[in-house]
Amino acid sequence: MASVVETSVNGKDPSLGKHHDFNDSVNESLDTSTTTNTLGTQKENGGISLGAGDAAVDSNGASSNGASTASGTNSGTNGAGAANGAGSAATKKPEVKIIRRKLNGYVGFANLPKQWHRKSIRRGFNLNIMVVGESGLGKSTLINTLFNRDLYSHRAQNDGSLSLGQKELTSTTSSGNFSGLITNDVTIESVSTDIEENGIKLHLTVLDTVGFGDAINNEDSWKPIVEDIENRFNTYLEAENKINRQTIADNRVHALLYFIEPTGHSLKPLDIKFMKEIHEKVNLIPIIAKSDILTEEEIYEFKQRIMDDINNQGINIFKPPQYENDDDETILNTQEIMSKVPFAVVGSIDEIQTKDGRSVRGRNYPWGIIEVDNENHCDFIKLRQLLIRNYMEELKETTSKYLFENYRTEKLKKLGIQQDNSVFREFDPSSRQEEEKILHEAKLAKMEADLKTIFQTKVSAKEKKLQSQESELFSKH
Ligand SMILES: Nc1nc2c(ncn2[C@@H]2O[C@H](COP(=O)(O)OP(=O)(O)OP(=O)(O)O)[C@@H](O)[C@H]2O)c(=O)[nH]1
Ligand SMILES: [Mg+2]
């Protein structure tokens, strides 16, 4: 850290003052000190903020988020060092050269995460969740519990005005037009609301499937839901094919919460039928509704039977994608979440006082309180991690990259259109360039070979001529 001191003083030249002569092992400390010098307030606070990180990277280039994070912790020491080391500045001048080289090497793409972050925050995020399950299984309550607000308060208003959420009944016709019609026995009710948390905006749409499984014959209950999901894909596809594709609203369903009745037996034929029809079109997340009415053992066995059915039927459940560079913690976290599938949940936004004086969200029973946010009581926390806290982006990515792409490919196949790769190659500038290079090289090689042949022919003709002239001369003498 002594070097930090020297550098701070060398900072006569602002560009150099931020880059000092350190061996590799202290490079991060170097960035840290710069942050401290640049942002005096950060030094005093000893705090870590996005602003501090920005400054570290912008000025040093060599820094990373990790380095800027370190700034908060080390700043106090660095700051002190800067003051102490003033006297030794002059003797260190030659070392500055090495730093210049480092500065020149900085391109700036280390800023990409922050650029992306800022843009995303400006734009906000959107999430579309569909809830499916028989009436009264606690769908609306769970959604309210997940987002900690009453999204359905408009229902209580008799004047029909919309309060928190924007309510709309969606059609399940194949027109792809999601407005005002109610068809079949199952209707899809869309409630949208904007939520803001720490300056981050989320546009949330909940698609509630009213009447699912309520008819005497529920055989076709799944149809309007599949149609709605496909309509949303179609609308997106059409928007993509338009000339102006700059702002395509993403109304595709990013996750479907399927509520299983807490019978404690096994899945019903309707559950299996529905999941089989839907699992390739949406990120399916099965849930055991109202799990507080089952004992721990019952839940354990029920889960086993449900998973057996799901596996035997080849039904895909949403699983966060794993990446090669995922760290152990992420892998473990995903495993822990996935070990709870199907999530046995309890929903409630009511605050209850426990005997030990805590205020918790839960359900009150004569025998005790079931706490929603307690991992020993239910799987609500794990579900929230999957859906909101840890894997929301993955849900959207899977929807876009796999489910929608599969749908698009299947649709094109049905229309008899197959992708002709040669057509696409034509428009790929890099492969086009490569092709041209190969052709050019082949042309050059041919020219060279031709020239060689001509040369050879001419040489041998000349040789022959010389030979004949020679023999002529010999014969004359
Ligand atoms: N025991 C228990 N009851 C719950 C739970 N969640 C909701 N309920 C109750 O179940 C009833 C129905 O809850 P809703 O959230 O309206 O159920 P829903 O699935 O949205 O019902 P529909 O909109 O009619 O399809 C309400 O009285 C809730 O208080 C739960 O986790 N456990
Ligand atoms: Mg409801």
Side-chain angles (χ1 to χ4, degrees), residues 320-332 334 391 394:
Q322 257 186 17
Y323 302 104
E324 254 177 41
N325 49 0
D326 272 350
D327 53 278
D328 291 347
E329 199 188 326
T330 310
I331 294 169
L332 193 72
T334 313
Y391 295 109
E394 273 80 0

Side-chain angles (χ1 to χ4, degrees), residues 271-306:
D271 297 329
I272 295 176
K273 177 76 182 155
F274 177 77
M275 289 201 253
K276 279 181 85 165
E277 292 293 340
I278 211 85
H279 73 128
E280 284 174 335
K281 297 190 165 67
V282 74
N283 289 315
L284 177 64
I285 303 174
I287 281 167
I288 300 176
K290 298 184 172 179
S291 71
D292 50 325
I293 67 166
L294 298 173
T295 66
E296 223 171 291
E297 294 78 43
E298 282 171 334
I299 290 175
Y300 179 78
E301 283 166 18
F302 193 30
K303 277 189 176 188
Q304 300 256 304
R305 281 194 287 270
I306 291 171

Side-chain angles (χ1 to χ4, degrees), residues 295-462:
T295 66
E296 223 171 291
E297 294 78 43
E298 282 171 334
I299 290 175
Y300 179 78
E301 283 166 18
F302 193 30
K303 277 189 176 188
Q304 300 256 304
R305 281 194 287 270
I306 291 171
M307 284 319 286
D308 284 349
D309 277 348
I310 282 176
N311 292 331
N312 291 339
Q313 297 291 336
I315 294 166
N316 298 331
I317 301 295
F318 171 71
K319 190 170 185 292
Q322 257 186 17
Y323 302 104
E324 254 177 41
N325 49 0
D326 272 350
D327 53 278
D328 291 347
E329 199 188 326
T330 310
I331 294 169
L332 193 72
N333 188 29
T334 313
Q335 279 169 357
E336 274 177 13
I337 293 176
M338 294 316 290
S339 72
K340 299 290 180 190
V341 175
F343 300 95
V345 294
V346 175
S348 171
I349 48 171
D350 295 339
E351 292 277 339
I352 300 171
Q353 289 295 317
T354 59
K355 276 190 188 150
D356 56 2
R358 288 176 300 126
S359 179
V360 296
R361 296 193 303 174
R363 304 191 81 87
N364 208 347
Y365 291 100
W367 42 265
I369 291 170
I370 290 270
E371 295 175 28
V372 167
D373 302 281
N374 186 332
E375 294 212 47
N376 294 323
H377 291 200
C378 73
D379 302 330
F380 174 81
I381 295 242
K382 285 281 182 276
L383 172 68
R384 188 175 59 190
Q385 278 178 4
L386 183 74
L387 201 61
I388 305 168
R389 294 207 174 168
N390 295 9
Y391 295 109
M392 191 193 284
E393 203 47 43
E394 273 80 0
L395 282 165
K396 296 180 72 175
E397 198 179 288
T398 315
T399 305
S400 190
K401 273 195 184 159
Y402 303 106
L403 303 165
F404 175 65
E405 279 308 314
N406 283 348
Y407 177 79
R408 184 219 297 267
T409 313
E410 285 303 312
K411 189 164 176 166
L412 291 179
K413 255 195 219 160
K414 274 186 202 155
L415 292 171
I417 302 168
Q418 281 205 345
Q419 191 163 298
D420 179 358
N421 287 331
S422 65
V423 175
F424 289 102
R425 220 172 51 214
E426 184 92 0
F427 294 97
D428 178 358
S430 61
S431 62
R432 184 85 190 142
Q433 216 173 11
E434 188 60 25
E435 264 175 32
E436 279 172 2
K437 192 177 156 215
I438 293 166
L439 281 173
H440 185 66
E441 278 168 1
K443 207 169 148 187
L444 283 179
K446 192 173 176 297
M447 272 169 68
E448 204 177 297
D450 287 349
L451 279 173
K452 255 186 196 163
T453 321
I454 295 166
F455 182 74
Q456 289 280 318
T457 325
K458 280 189 175 172
V459 167
S460 56
K462 194 83 182 168

Side-chain angles (χ1 to χ4, degrees), residues 139-141 152 155 208:
K139 301 184 291 293
S140 309
T141 309
Y152 299 89
R155 281 184 175 158
D208 205 338

Side-chain angles (χ1 to χ4, degrees), residues 131 133-141 152 155 189 208-210:
V131 287
E134 288 164 44
S135 182
L137 282 184
K139 301 184 291 293
S140 309
T141 309
Y152 299 89
R155 281 184 175 158
E189 185 188 305
D208 205 338
T209 50
V210 182

